[in-house]
């Protein structure tokens, strides 16, 4: 299974233009159909189809039928359209930071792993990207793997897909999960972070929920999120 249709939310600013460039690159690499959505009737260059939309509900409606939806990081202080869309579509989102240039995504990948349902879904949703990566690191986040070595099972699973991974363990300590992930991503020069997105129950917040909010607010690389 590869990416057959990619949906990109286009906005009329520099961040939106950069996001569209990244979407074009991904669509070309995967031979995918590229669908653009956004305000207005002006069709951006390089999309196979343009769908005018207004509001998050319409974005979510179209995102349900795409293999991957590319959205932008919300401006500081804005409502979190990423979380709202993710929780309603049941499909993976690729969130792109508002600042910075991202000519490629998925060459050097950092995977946040805590053996949860959300993390599992994120890993499997990201397989089309992981299969083309040159370097994949699985970072365990106080994973609940019973008596097994944290991250060993998912590492073996990815190996069966032909993906060679390095597993690193983080016990967090005094640093929160979000900062630990961003620090590791910077250290290894990652161009993609893969992670499960959590809701707001106290139990989930204890594991990685706080990291979801921190990453959405402070992301420095594109982030693939699944719920």
């Amino acid at each position: 299974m590869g990416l057959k249709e990619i949906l990109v939310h286009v906005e009329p600013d520099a961040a939106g233009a950069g996001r569209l460039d990244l979407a074009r690159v991904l669509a070309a690499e995967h031979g995918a159909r590229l669908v653009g959505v956004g305000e207005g009737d002006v069709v951006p260059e390089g999309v196979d189809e343009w769908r005018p939309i207004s509001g998050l509900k319409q974005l979510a409606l179209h995102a349900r039928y795409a293999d991957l939806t590319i959205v932008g990081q919300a401006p500081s202080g804005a409502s979190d359209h990423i979380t709202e869309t993710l929780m309603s579509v049941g499909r993976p989102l690729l969130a792109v930071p508002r600042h910075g240039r991202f000519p490629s995504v998925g060459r050097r990948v950092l995977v946040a792993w805590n053996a949860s349902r959300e993390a599992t879904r994120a890993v499997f949703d990201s397989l089309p990207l992981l299969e083309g990566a040159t370097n994949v690191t699985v970072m365990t986040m106080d994973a609940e793997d019973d008596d097994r070595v944290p991250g060993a099972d998912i590492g073996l699973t990815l190996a069966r897909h032909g993906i060679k991974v390095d597993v690193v363990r983080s016990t967090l300590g005094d640093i929160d999960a979000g900062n630990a992930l961003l620090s590791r991503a910077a250290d290894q020069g990652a161009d993609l972070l893969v992670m499960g997105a959590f809701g707001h129950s106290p139990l989930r917040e204890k594991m990685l929920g706080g990291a979801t909010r921190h990453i959405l607010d402070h992301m420095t690389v594109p982030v693939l999120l699944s719920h």
Side-chain angles (χ1 to χ4, degrees):
M1 286 180 59
L3 298 176
K4 303 301 182 184
E5 181 165 297
I6 296 174
L7 188 78
V8 56
H9 183 221
V10 182
E11 296 168 297
D13 57 14
R19 191 159 63 250
L20 180 57
D21 287 342
L22 178 57
R24 292 192 193 104
V25 170
L26 272 180
E29 289 177 349
H30 293 268
R33 186 168 178 269
L34 182 59
V35 177
V37 295
E39 304 281 347
D41 297 316
V42 179
V43 181
E45 184 178 351
V47 299
D48 297 301
E49 182 183 351
W50 175 250
R51 301 173 186 170
I53 64 167
S54 176
L56 292 176
K57 289 184 178 180
Q58 289 189 12
L59 172 61
L61 175 64
H62 294 285
R64 290 191 183 107
Y65 307 102
D67 296 311
L68 181 68
T69 295
I70 303 176
V71 297
Q73 179 185 21
S76 178
S79 61
D80 187 11
H81 63 293
I82 296 176
T83 299
E84 293 179 34
T85 304
L86 189 65
M87 296 300 173
S88 64
V89 301
R91 304 293 292 148
L93 297 188
L94 180 65
V96 181
R98 291 194 63 80
H99 303 292
R101 291 184 57 80
F102 308 97
S104 66
V105 63
R107 299 289 183 269
R108 300 172 306 281
V109 185
L110 177 63
V111 177
W113 180 251
N114 67 350
S116 66
R117 182 191 72 82
E118 290 85 351
T120 301
R121 180 158 188 172
V123 168
F124 281 90
D125 281 345
S126 69
L127 279 178
L129 297 176
L130 297 181
E131 288 169 349
T134 57
N135 177 270
V136 177
T137 299
V138 173
M139 182 174 175
T140 66
M141 310 294 293
D142 291 338
E144 293 182 342
D145 275 353
D146 301 321
D147 294 327
R148 295 180 291 276
V149 177
D153 288 346
I154 195 62
L156 181 59
T157 297
L158 291 175
R160 293 192 182 108
H161 286 268
I163 302 166
K164 184 179 182 298
V165 305
D166 295 315
V167 178
V168 297
R169 184 175 184 181
S170 172
T171 54
L172 296 182
D174 293 333
I175 187 172
D176 63 86
N179 277 316
L181 284 168
L182 291 178
S183 178
R184 181 71 196 190
D187 288 345
Q188 74 176 58
D191 63 2
L192 176 65
L193 170 62
V194 173
M195 65 184 295
F198 288 74
H200 302 291
S201 72
L203 178 60
R204 290 176 175 177
E205 286 292 332
K206 280 184 64 178
M207 289 302 298
L208 198 58
T212 305
R213 169 56 51 197
H214 186 87
I215 295 296
L216 290 177
D217 289 342
H218 302 97
M219 66 175 71
T220 52
V221 299
V223 183
L224 188 145
L225 298 129
S226 294
H227 174 70

